[in-house]
Amino acid sequence: MAMYTSARATGGTPPDRNGGPTHTNGSRTRDDDGRPTRDHGGNPTHGKDGSHTHDAARSAPASLPRPGHRPRTTHRAACLAAAALALWLPLSACSSDGASGAPSDTAAAGSAPSPGPTPSVDRATYRHILTRALEPLNRALRTVDDAHEGSALNTALDAASSRADSAADTLQMTATPDDASPANSQLVSALRALGQDLKSARGDGGRCATAPRVELGRAQSPYGLTSAGRALTALGYDTSLHLPRTERAEHRRLTNGALVHDGSRAGLGRLTVRNGTARDAVVALTRGKHTAFSVYVRHGSDATVRSVNSGSYTVYFTTGEDWNSRKSSFTRECSFEKFDDQAHFKTVRVTGGTQYTVLTFTLNKVVGGNATTSTVPPAEFPS
């Protein structure tokens, strides 16, 4: 009797070699020039041109009056001196070398009149632009509702995504009334998020592909659209927007031990599968390009397949949530693997009876496991 057990770990973030979590080193920021600044103390600070000004004129020595002679000041000389002083003062105030009386550039610039506020946009004009921007998007979203899953739905999602981006571009470039400006900005952001959600919801048609309408049901953009729409509607601007139809995620499961595929079984071999992972699994045995059988094993359960024919088999298994029988695949949280060693079943006659092979495969990691697994592309998993 042979026993095979898997050494595959499931669930959680794998620890590092020392058993601890992996950390990401933080980065340090530096100044723009990459060098620390220094204080050059002790040096005087100079002006822009680095020059100093000095008094260039020196007063000439005054002549002394002759002894016994009293100096005289005439009325005419006093008037001339007063006139010269009066002329010098206004000239000093208007000097062109930056004297205190000259008006500064800052004062001159500050005296220029500041531009007035932008005139408010007409409400009726904005209402008309808003309606024209959302109409094409509404038509495209109705087409999404009517499309069947597959290429038709993917085409409709692409078209609606483009319309959402176009509406956002139009409203972003549109001048808005003062009362509508905040809500218009919120609507633009929500429309761009909707365009991305519509594009991301496209199905690829492969295994483990969540239904597009289920993906749309998880999107956050409809909440932003609803909030912006309510704000604009309260101000008198109609923002009727047809949100796409969505679906809730399903949790379809088969009964434990159900045969997903069953070929011809007429041997004596027996296979037991133990699923200790956190998700349901399907185990498939193939010979060459043909699938001998595949069995559904719920998480935390065992399942046994009897009457296995003698021969060598490659053992695949997939785990996940929500089994889609039409696609023979889970739709969420999928993994696809195979055991590196083949399973060999043999039936021989011995003295006193018949001897046959009984194998046990464990999908989760166990102590003392002697089987290794490898990840395979989803398309390689047998149907």
Side-chain angles (χ1 to χ4, degrees):
M1 179 180 299
M3 172 178 289
Y4 287 76
T5 52
S6 166
R8 170 178 162 271
T10 61
T13 303
D16 60 11
R17 292 184 178 179
N18 296 323
T22 302
H23 300 278
T24 302
N25 291 330
S27 60
R28 295 179 294 178
T29 58
R30 298 176 62 87
D31 294 336
D32 293 338
D33 58 1
R35 297 172 297 175
T37 58
R38 294 183 179 177
D39 181 13
H40 301 277
N43 295 326
T45 302
H46 299 284
K48 243 179 202 183
D49 57 0
S51 62
H52 300 276
T53 59
H54 303 276
D55 292 336
R58 297 181 180 178
S59 59
S63 58
L64 298 175
R66 288 176 295 175
H69 184 76
R70 184 178 181 181
R72 294 178 299 172
T73 301
T74 63
H75 177 71
R76 176 182 177 83
C79 291
L80 289 175
L85 179 62
L87 289 173
W88 179 81
L89 289 175
L91 287 174
S92 297
C94 299
S95 63
S96 61
D97 60 354
S100 60
S104 64
D105 293 340
T106 303
S111 63
S114 59
T118 304
S120 179
V121 178
D122 180 64
R123 291 169 59 88
T125 301
Y126 173 69
R127 188 179 294 109
H128 176 71
I129 294 175
L130 183 63
T131 301
R132 292 290 300 271
L134 296 181
E135 279 180 350
L137 175 58
N138 273 322
R139 290 195 296 268
L141 292 175
R142 290 190 176 91
T143 302
V144 170
D145 281 352
D146 297 336
H148 295 288
E149 187 171 342
S151 59
L153 180 56
N154 288 342
T155 300
L157 288 169
D158 286 339
S161 175
S162 177
R163 294 297 186 185
D165 290 340
S166 297
D169 291 340
T170 299
L171 295 177
Q172 185 173 13
M173 295 184 295
T174 299
T176 59
D178 294 338
D179 61 345
S181 182
N184 183 79
S185 298
Q186 183 182 0
L187 179 60
V188 168
S189 298
L191 287 170
R192 296 203 186 281
L194 176 64
Q196 184 59 48
D197 288 339
L198 291 167
K199 186 178 298 184
S200 299
R202 295 177 80 261
D204 59 7
R207 286 196 168 98
C208 201
T210 303
R213 299 191 195 281
V214 174
E215 285 289 347
L216 289 176
R218 299 174 178 176
Q220 297 298 313
S221 57
Y223 297 100
L225 289 169
T226 300
S227 177
R230 287 175 178 171
L232 289 170
T233 301
L235 297 172
Y237 306 106
D238 182 22
T239 55
S240 299
L241 194 62
H242 180 84
L243 294 176
R245 176 168 59 88
T246 63
E247 296 175 356
R248 291 185 177 182
E250 297 185 71
H251 299 275
R252 293 166 290 186
R253 306 173 74 189
L254 299 182
T255 58
N256 187 62
L259 289 169
V260 177
H261 176 84
D262 191 14
S264 174
R265 290 182 294 115
L268 297 177
R270 187 167 65 196
L271 171 68
T272 297
V273 178
R274 294 177 177 172
N275 182 8
T277 71
R279 299 181 178 90
D280 291 359
V282 170
V283 178
L285 272 67
T286 64
R287 296 182 68 180
K289 296 182 179 180
H290 302 285
T291 302
F293 62 88
S294 54
V295 58
Y296 194 97
V297 189
R298 291 192 173 192
H299 71 88
S301 301
D302 298 350
T304 299
V305 179
R306 303 176 184 277
S307 304
V308 180
N309 294 333
S310 297
S312 297
Y313 298 84
T314 302
V315 182
Y316 296 85
F317 66 97
T318 177
T319 61
E321 298 178 3
D322 183 39
W323 179 256
N324 186 334
S325 295
R326 184 172 61 85
K327 292 184 176 182
S328 295
S329 175
F330 294 104
T331 65
R332 297 187 302 275
E333 307 296 333
C334 304
S335 69
F336 299 90
E337 301 179 60
K338 73 174 181 178
F339 284 92
D340 295 328
D341 295 329
Q342 287 190 323
H344 302 284
F345 290 87
K346 183 186 296 184
T347 301
V348 295
R349 293 191 176 277
V350 295
T351 304
T354 304
Q355 189 177 66
Y356 55 89
T357 304
V358 175
L359 297 180
T360 298
F361 283 86
T362 303
L363 304 184
N364 54 292
K365 181 178 179 180
V366 295
V367 177
N370 58 358
T372 59
T373 63
S374 300
T375 301
V376 298
E380 187 177 322
F381 189 83
S383 301

